[in-house]
Amino acid sequence: MQSLLFYFTMKFNDIEFSNGKNTQHSAPKKLLLLALSLVFLTIVPLYLLTTSRSPLPSPNVDISDLRNIGIVKECDIFSGKWIPYPNGPYYTDATCSLIIDQHNCMKFGRPDTEFMKWRWRPEKCELPFFNAKQFLELVRGKMMAFVGDSVGRNQMQSLLCLLSSVTHPEDISHRYTADTTYFKRWFYADYGFTLATLWSPFLVKSRDTDPNGHSLNSLMSLNLDQADEAWASQIENFDYVIISAGQWFFRPLIYYINGQIVGCHNCYMENITAVTMYYGYRMAFRTAFETLRRLKNYKGITFLRTFSPSHFENGAWNEGGNCIRTMPFTSEEMKFDGYYLEFYLTQVEELRKAQKEGRKGGLKFELLATTEAMLLRPDGHPNYYGRSPHSNVTVADCVHWCLPGPIDTWNEFLLYMMRKEAWRSFYEKLQKTIS
């Protein structure tokens, strides 16, 4: 397959380097390339179907449907429902040694297993199973970073386990930072692939402001017009960036722009204008996207992973709330509205602006709309069955997600979008070449 891809690349180059001259041989070359491309569009879907090493059986997918994923038909994979899948997950805590204690619900005695036996089904199409070999081929020689808070790292940990059926990476975090808890880098030598997580819960510059010191709900200040250098200074050479933020914006925050206070959320301070948390959320994503667009050497694809809902019941997180459900909600039981929808719409509005501006410079910004699916999964959190070095074990974790669990679907979404983007790029290049 790699040689086939190389062959087509060379054929593209043969024509592109002709400097637009209309020689007597150019028309036959273009016709030949078109014919070969049609063959390619048939062979690749067959390759993708037959090289799956997933522990799960392949769904019944028509080849024409697979081919259309990135070329003709657009399928909304983000709207659908959870259906029973008794075969279970791709991996377990016994087969993946890379699960950290915070997500390792089975290690710490979670008694039920049904939460691992559901699969997301889009309304009008099939979501392909995760194919680790295919993913690794797509990212061969490339770099991918998850930028955001610990839920972003949660997705990266899921990806590590999904890829473990093919190969294991080397932890190279210590080569780049002394803080190897919040800033991780893994290297897959067989594929020349680097996977990283860059801790930045607000995406913008932040600092502690509370006179009583830092705590889970202490006052902090955000410079909404300055990207956090913790990620911005390292991101330029990455090929894929998955960016996200969420739960930290609920805390008391003072907002600054151009070094001046412009408002605050839940700070209850005199002479400071009270604004909603959505204001800070919007501005943080706007600054993050603008930063990526302005980086001289950044040529990567940016994926916005949308707001990840928590599911505290019987009280707030600091008032004895927990998440003891063992089954998903139906869409009738849990509506996609309220602050979940407001957070989601705020993100998507800023993404659309970034897409419009990004096209001018050849940058691509894509959507990973996970909110609707995860809103229906109150059963997927660790609750009391996870351990973090910095957490109070008496506080239920209804924010992060068990591994294995429904968060593995995020990486099914990611692979689907990466495949679609690869098809789109190939097709666009094909059109330019034969036009």
Side-chain angles (χ1 to χ4, degrees):
M1 186 62 188
Q2 291 297 311
S3 59
L4 183 60
L5 289 169
F6 177 76
Y7 174 76
F8 272 89
T9 301
M10 294 304 294
K11 284 296 180 183
F12 280 128
N13 290 341
D14 285 346
I15 292 178
E16 288 176 349
F17 292 159
S18 66
N19 295 320
K21 295 179 181 179
N22 187 17
T23 67
Q24 62 179 340
H25 302 294
S26 63
K29 275 188 177 182
K30 290 183 178 180
L31 290 174
L32 175 61
L33 181 59
L34 175 60
L36 290 172
S37 300
L38 293 174
V39 173
F40 180 81
L41 294 175
T42 302
I43 291 175
V44 172
L46 287 171
Y47 169 80
L48 298 181
L49 284 175
T50 57
T51 57
S52 174
R53 297 188 183 183
S54 168
L56 301 170
S58 298
N60 295 322
V61 180
D62 185 83
I63 292 175
S64 62
D65 289 339
L66 185 59
R67 183 165 55 247
N68 286 339
I69 283 175
I71 299 177
V72 179
K73 184 172 64 177
E74 291 289 335
C75 172
D76 181 6
I77 59 171
F78 306 121
S79 293
K81 62 181 180 181
W82 294 95
I83 61 170
Y85 189 76
N87 290 38
Y90 292 93
Y91 59 89
T92 69
D93 61 320
T95 62
C96 179
S97 61
L98 297 172
I99 304 175
I100 63 175
D101 287 351
Q102 186 177 24
H103 312 140
N104 202 339
C105 302
M106 304 315 293
K107 174 181 177 179
F108 291 100
R110 179 164 176 168
D112 62 301
T113 60
E114 293 306 306
F115 73 96
M116 297 185 287
K117 298 177 181 178
W118 296 86
R119 191 157 200 279
W120 181 250
R121 173 177 286 175
E123 292 175 354
K124 298 181 180 180
C125 58
E126 291 287 341
L127 176 64
F129 289 94
F130 188 88
N131 184 323
K133 179 69 174 179
Q134 185 186 125
F135 183 96
L136 287 165
E137 289 295 346
L138 281 173
V139 298
R140 182 182 288 275
K142 297 183 178 181
M143 301 175 69
M144 173 179 287
F146 289 86
V147 177
D149 59 20
S150 54
V151 179
R153 178 180 177 177
N154 203 168
Q155 182 180 2
M156 187 208 68
Q157 296 288 156
S158 162
L159 184 57
L160 286 172
C161 284
L162 289 168
L163 298 178
S164 66
S165 63
V166 173
T167 186
H168 281 75
E170 176 188 0
D171 186 347
I172 59 172
S173 308
H174 62 280
R175 301 180 190 175
Y176 296 88
T177 179
D179 186 355
T180 57
T181 299
Y182 290 103
F183 297 85
K184 300 291 294 186
R185 292 203 188 206
W186 302 87
F187 183 65
Y188 290 82
D190 293 343
Y191 294 87
F193 170 52
T194 299
L195 180 62
T197 180
L198 304 177
W199 168 261
S200 184
F202 296 109
L203 305 179
V204 294
K205 185 177 179 180
S206 64
R207 64 185 183 278
D208 288 312
T209 309
D210 201 308
N212 297 318
H214 184 81
S215 68
L216 291 175
N217 205 36
S218 57
L219 180 67
M220 297 185 71
S221 294
L222 305 186
N223 291 84
L224 294 175
D225 55 345
Q226 298 180 40
D228 182 2
E229 287 297 312
W231 70 267
S233 64
Q234 301 186 52
I235 208 67
E236 206 158 6
N237 294 321
F238 281 83
D239 302 281
Y240 300 98
V241 174
I242 299 89
I243 196 165
S244 62
Q247 301 294 331
W248 282 69
F249 282 83
F250 284 101
R251 70 190 304 136
L253 296 169
I254 300 176
Y255 301 132
Y256 288 77
I257 292 181
N258 292 326
Q260 301 296 315
I261 295 176
V262 295
C264 74
H265 164 64
N266 277 355
C267 72
Y268 306 110
M269 299 175 71
E270 294 182 4
N271 302 320
I272 298 181
T273 303
V275 295
T276 70
M277 56 189 168
Y278 309 118
Y279 171 78
Y281 199 60
R282 178 183 300 280
M283 295 305 297
F285 277 100
R286 182 175 299 179
T287 295
F289 292 147
E290 288 178 351
T291 299
L292 289 167
R293 288 194 296 104
R294 292 171 180 171
L295 288 173
K296 181 179 179 180
N297 296 317
Y298 179 65
K299 307 298 180 185
I301 301 175
T302 304
F303 292 94
L304 165 66
R305 195 267 296 155
T306 61
F307 181 77
S308 176
S310 61
H311 292 92
F312 289 98
E313 296 185 82
N314 308 308
W317 67 270
N318 57 349
E319 298 174 351
N322 55 28
C323 41
I324 60 175
R325 293 180 185 266
T326 59
M327 297 279 287
F329 286 129
T330 66
S331 56
E332 289 74 29
E333 292 175 298
M334 176 61 76
K335 298 297 183 182
F336 189 13
D337 56 18
Y339 75 85
Y340 305 113
L341 182 60
E342 192 68 28
F343 269 116
Y344 173 83
L345 292 177
T346 299
Q347 289 179 296
V348 173
E349 287 168 7
E350 291 305 314
L351 176 71
R352 297 308 179 207
K353 295 175 185 176
Q355 288 176 323
K356 181 179 179 181
E357 293 300 317
R359 279 192 288 270
K360 299 175 183 178
L363 287 181
K364 295 180 179 179
F365 292 82
E366 301 293 341
L367 180 67
L368 277 180
T370 58
T371 308
E372 180 179 346
M374 303 310 283
L375 187 60
L376 303 178
R377 293 308 304 269
D379 56 324
H381 300 287
N383 197 25
Y384 294 110
Y385 301 105
R387 297 290 183 272
S388 170
H390 310 293
S391 69
N392 183 339
V393 295
T394 65
V395 176
D397 183 354
C398 303
V399 172
H400 300 93
W401 304 92
C402 294
L403 294 179
I407 195 174
D408 294 321
T409 301
W410 298 7
N411 289 313
E412 291 178 333
F413 288 160
L414 178 60
L415 177 55
Y416 180 99
M417 296 299 293
M418 290 169 61
R419 288 170 54 191
K420 188 171 79 167
E421 183 54 42
W423 275 112
R424 182 184 294 149
S425 296
F426 172 81
Y427 189 60
E428 289 173 353
K429 195 170 186 180
L430 173 63
Q431 285 182 313
K432 290 179 181 178
T433 304
I434 64 178
S435 62

